[in-house]
Structure formats: C-alpha cells, structure tokens
Amino acid sequence: MWTYVLFNIKSNLKRKENLILVVLFIICEIALLFILNTKSFTESPYQTSLGISIASVLQKNDPKLYQEFMDEVNLIRQTIDKGEQDGKEKNWKSYCEYKVKVSVLEAQWYMVTSNMPNDSYFEHADVLEELRKEYGLPDLSQYEKLIVQKSNDNNLYFCSMQQARYFDYLLKHDLTPITYSYVDASSVSLQIARYILPVVLPLLVGLLLFQQRERRAKTEKTILTISGVKRKYVRWNLISDVLFVLLVVFLPILVYMIVLVPFKGVSNLIYPVLYYKPGFTGFHYWDTQGLDHIELVASGLTNMSVNQFTTPGMELMPLWQCTLFVTFGLVLSTTFYVLLITVLSKLMKNKYLSLLVFLVVLGLCSFASPLGNMQKINTFNPMSYRDFGMNLLGTSYFGYFAGIVIVGLYSVILYLVSKWCAKKVRV
C-alpha cells in the first residue's frame, strides 16, 4: 500500500501545475506573516479595561465606612494610573501585576453589587479570593452595606474574572503579553490556520486534485481487476491524496517554525489562549440571546467577542494544546474536501464541471454561514467549521466538538459513496 501511496505523492509533486500552486501558496503565507508581524507592533496586548464604577450605587449614611472605602478607591486609581504608564513603557511584569490587581477588584466589586446569589452564579469565585489574598488586596465585601440598590447588570464579572486569571497566568509563567497578530515559532501555525487556510485549503484541494481521474484512468481499470485490491483501492487513494495536501500545507509551516526559533524561541508554546469550554466538551450551540452582530476585541492571541466577555464558559488553554486541536480539525477538514472532490469527479464525466460544482457547493455553504451567522440549522453546515480555530476559541457560535462530529460524519458518508462509485467502475 505505502509503495502506491508514495508513488502518487511523488507524481503529484512533479506536476508543473501543482508546483506553481505550491509556490503561490507559500508566497501568500510569507506575505501574510510579514503583514502580521508589522501589524503586531501597533496593537495593544489587551484591549479591554473596565474600571470600577461607584458613584451611582453608594449611600453615605455611614461616613466613617464611606471614607474608608473612598481611601481604598483612591489607592486603586493610583494603581490604574501606574499600570497604564507601565503598559506604555512596556514594563510588562509590572503591567501584568496591575492588570491582575485591578481585574480581581473589579470582579469582586461586581460580586458585591450584584443581586445574583454567589453560590450559583459566580464561577471561579474561589480562585479570585485566593488571588485577592495573594496580591494583598482589600476585601471590598465589607463595604456591601453602603450599596443603595444592587445591580442587574452582572455579566461584566466574567470579563474581569477572565482578565485576572489570564494575567496571573502570564506572571506565574514569566511570559510577556503578546498581541493578536504576534508571529513567532509558537504562534505561526495558528496564524496561518486562521488567516489563510479557511479560504485557501478548499481551493488547494480542488485545484491540486481535480485532474486526478484522468491520470488514474489509464491504470485504474487494470488495478481493479486484481483480486483483493478493489476494496482497498479507495482507501489507498484517499490516504495518498490527504497526505499530499497535508504535506503541501504543513511542510512550509514547519520550515517557518524552524526559521523563527532563533529569533523569538518557543517559550510562548505555553502562552494562554481563552477557549469556549461548552463548545469544546459537548454538542453545544452558543445562545446569543438575540444579538445580531459581533464586536471583536483582542485578548492576547484570542479575538474575543463582546458576547464572550459576558459568558462563564471561557477557560484557559496553553497555545501548544490549542495548536494540536486546530491541526486535528484541519486534517479532518482536508479529508472531507478530498473525499468531496473525489466523489464529484467520479460522478461527473467532465473534470472542469466537477471542480466547478465543488467550489460552488463549498462557496454557497460558506455564504450561508458567515462569522456572525446565528441560525441553528447551520450546525449541520460543514463550512460552519472551516476555521476550527474560530470554533475552538469561541468566536463562532458553533462549537469545536460539533465540528468534529459533523465534518467527521460527512467524511464517513462521502467515503462510503466513493467506495460505491469504485464498485461501479466497469473493468
């Protein structure tokens, strides 16, 4: 089998048309990395800052307690001023410490002013209490009786909670804050996966493989007459085609990683990214509560939406682990695209028609499920999962686990159809 697989890969790599496509693909990647690297110098490592709002919720019937609270607030404001200056001067360790302190106090204040029961609503409250003690921060709950009326706007707690854990992780692992467009040996694969591959991968598969039937027609009828080979032939072709595409996609990425190691190292392999846990662990559709748009805000390497800031479902994952999950999704997507073009080329006599149908089908599916689409029916649209990084990190309303199941199911169906097509070949 492997002799046949290697033969197919080598013959594909020798084709002039394929070499041109590979060169164009590599040029696009290098241009992207240059643009991202330039852009990263102008971005903020974290674009969200809340601040503690106190004016409208306090009463002054206990002047002594009120004054104690205002003294604490003045210290917090001094911390904020110093932290913002540290950020401008790129004193990152001091900046991260400031972000932890302010975020813990913000989260604590939202707990104090909220009318939600602490035991059923405030996730990671125990972690925040540990951080409060660790960083020597005041206990704002002692000022609860100054509050005139508790608030119904509780969602900002989750944003502060996420910031506190995020920057505490950076401090404890001695990591420098990085921006959404940051490129190094650790992040280059994720950047290419989310900026180029959602569009380019199906195009690559279609253009690299649409001529396969003509080249194989000369040997296919002979091979299918050999006893015991016919039922394995589809699997052999699938493996060779998938490996060929993956070689084209991942070999340049591996080269970029090796080239970038001397410049910035690989310490950011443990850099934290925020992912949407309910969509990662189960067949979960993100309930957006009728919102019809997404406002994106960068949080390190995670391009979070405003909706994500108001959900308890965001958790931390190291970059290396995120990269592995995204890569697995890409391998599954590649298998799906290869099987789709294979089946279409079997069912249609004209190779150009099969390529056109392939691109039209995927294009229409992508158009039906854009980034901001919230129709539950698109849970079953394979192109809702064209960017597994988006699904994993929560920017999409459709979760990572659902994508693995749906794309995997379509791949199984297409594989069975391709085997049926092979049986119908007249020999």
Side-chain angles (χ1 to χ4, degrees):
M1 178 190 77
W2 288 110
T3 302
Y4 177 81
V5 169
L6 290 174
F7 170 78
N8 263 350
I9 293 175
K10 288 179 181 178
S11 62
N12 278 324
L13 288 173
K14 289 178 181 178
R15 292 186 65 83
K16 189 179 296 183
E17 301 92 331
N18 288 347
L19 288 175
I20 293 173
L21 284 172
V22 171
V23 170
L24 290 174
F25 176 58
I26 292 173
I27 291 173
C28 289
E29 288 182 322
I30 294 174
L32 169 71
L33 296 179
F34 177 79
I35 292 170
L36 289 179
N37 187 61
T38 303
K39 185 179 178 182
S40 67
F41 290 107
T42 62
E43 292 177 332
S44 168
Y46 202 97
Q47 296 176 9
T48 302
S49 181
L50 299 177
I52 300 176
S53 176
I54 61 171
S56 61
V57 295
L58 297 182
Q59 58 183 358
K60 301 180 182 180
N61 56 356
D62 188 333
K64 182 179 178 181
L65 190 62
Y66 180 80
Q67 186 57 49
E68 288 179 5
F69 178 75
M70 291 308 299
D71 290 341
E72 296 284 10
V73 170
N74 288 330
L75 289 175
I76 294 170
R77 286 171 174 161
Q78 292 174 20
T79 300
I80 292 174
D81 292 339
K82 183 179 183 304
E84 291 178 348
Q85 186 62 33
D86 286 331
K88 293 176 182 178
E89 297 175 358
K90 297 184 178 181
N91 299 322
W92 295 124
K93 188 171 183 178
S94 179
Y95 174 78
C96 288
E97 186 174 346
Y98 139 71
K99 291 295 287 187
V100 175
K101 289 180 178 179
V102 172
S103 299
V104 168
L105 291 171
E106 285 172 348
Q108 187 185 181
W109 183 244
Y110 289 122
M111 291 174 68
V112 171
T113 59
S114 170
N115 61 9
M116 299 295 292
N118 292 6
D119 56 347
S120 63
Y121 186 76
F122 294 109
E123 197 166 319
H124 296 297
D126 55 338
V127 175
L128 289 172
E129 179 60 18
E130 291 175 5
L131 291 175
R132 185 191 70 78
K133 294 177 180 178
E134 180 181 345
Y135 286 88
L137 300 172
D139 182 3
L140 299 185
S141 63
Q142 62 185 307
Y143 305 110
E144 185 172 2
K145 64 181 182 179
L146 293 175
I147 300 168
V148 177
Q149 183 177 359
K150 294 204 170 186
S151 171
N152 291 319
D153 184 16
N154 311 296
N155 289 328
L156 289 176
Y157 162 78
F158 298 121
C159 179
S160 301
M161 173 265 292
Q162 290 157 13
Q163 287 190 63
R165 292 185 298 136
Y166 175 85
F167 284 100
D168 178 64
Y169 184 103
L170 294 184
L171 272 176
K172 286 183 168 58
H173 291 82
D174 196 25
L175 294 170
T176 298
I178 59 180
T179 66
Y180 184 71
S181 300
Y182 185 81
V183 176
D184 68 355
S186 306
S187 65
V188 63
S189 57
L190 179 63
Q191 299 291 25
I192 290 174
R194 62 187 177 189
Y195 275 104
I196 287 185
L197 295 184
V199 175
V200 173
L201 184 57
L203 286 173
L204 266 179
V205 172
L207 294 173
L208 290 173
L209 302 182
F210 87 106
Q211 298 185 85
Q212 293 283 53
R213 187 179 62 181
E214 274 188 3
R215 293 192 298 106
R216 289 173 178 168
K218 299 176 182 178
T219 58
E220 190 172 70
K221 290 188 177 182
T222 302
I223 291 175
L224 293 178
T225 60
I226 303 173
S227 177
V229 171
K230 189 170 184 176
R231 62 188 180 86
K232 301 177 183 177
Y233 182 69
V234 172
R235 183 168 69 251
W236 291 358
N237 281 330
L238 172 63
I239 292 172
S240 64
D241 290 345
V242 170
L243 288 178
F244 168 56
V245 175
L246 293 179
L247 184 67
V248 170
V249 171
F250 287 105
L251 186 58
I253 292 176
L254 181 60
V255 173
Y256 303 145
M257 292 175 68
I258 294 172
V259 169
L260 289 170
V261 166
F263 295 97
K264 299 178 181 179
V266 292
S267 61
N268 283 321
L269 281 173
I270 60 172
Y271 198 88
V273 294
L274 286 157
Y275 75 101
Y276 188 52
K277 187 175 181 180
F280 176 72
T281 57
F283 204 94
H284 188 272
Y285 173 82
W286 191 3
D287 183 7
T288 60
Q289 301 178 346
L291 294 176
D292 59 357
H293 68 283
I294 298 179
E295 181 183 345
L296 297 178
V297 179
S299 166
L301 285 170
T302 312
N303 207 20
M304 300 181 68
S305 73
V306 172
N307 298 346
Q308 286 170 278
F309 283 125
T310 63
T311 177
M314 303 303 295
E315 296 289 346
L316 295 175
M317 175 185 289
L319 178 57
W320 69 264
Q321 192 173 341
C322 169
T323 301
L324 286 180
F325 285 120
V326 172
T327 300
F328 178 76
L330 285 171
V331 172
L332 190 59
S333 295
T334 301
T335 304
F336 167 72
Y337 297 140
V338 168
L339 282 166
L340 181 58
I341 190 67
T342 299
V343 169
L344 291 174
S345 66
K346 291 287 186 182
L347 296 176
M348 299 175 184
K349 294 181 179 180
N350 189 299
K351 64 178 182 180
Y352 295 103
L353 179 61
S354 64
L355 176 62
L356 178 63
V357 172
F358 173 80
L359 296 177
V360 168
V361 168
L362 296 183
L364 290 175
C365 288
S366 299
F367 180 78
S369 185
L371 179 62
N373 184 274
M374 295 177 282
Q375 299 298 321
K376 288 187 178 181
I377 189 63
N378 276 309
T379 301
F380 303 99
N381 181 342
M383 298 309 287
S384 294
Y385 313 101
R386 59 191 179 274
D387 182 352
F388 272 99
M390 181 175 70
N391 302 119
L392 176 63
L393 302 182
T395 309
S396 169
Y397 293 106
F398 309 100
Y400 178 88
F401 180 80
I404 297 299
V405 172
I406 295 299
V407 178
L409 182 61
Y410 281 124
S411 298
V412 170
I413 293 171
L414 288 171
Y415 178 70
L416 295 176
V417 173
S418 65
K419 290 189 71 173
W420 175 84
C421 291
K423 290 180 181 179
K424 297 301 179 180
V425 174
R426 294 183 180 181
V427 296

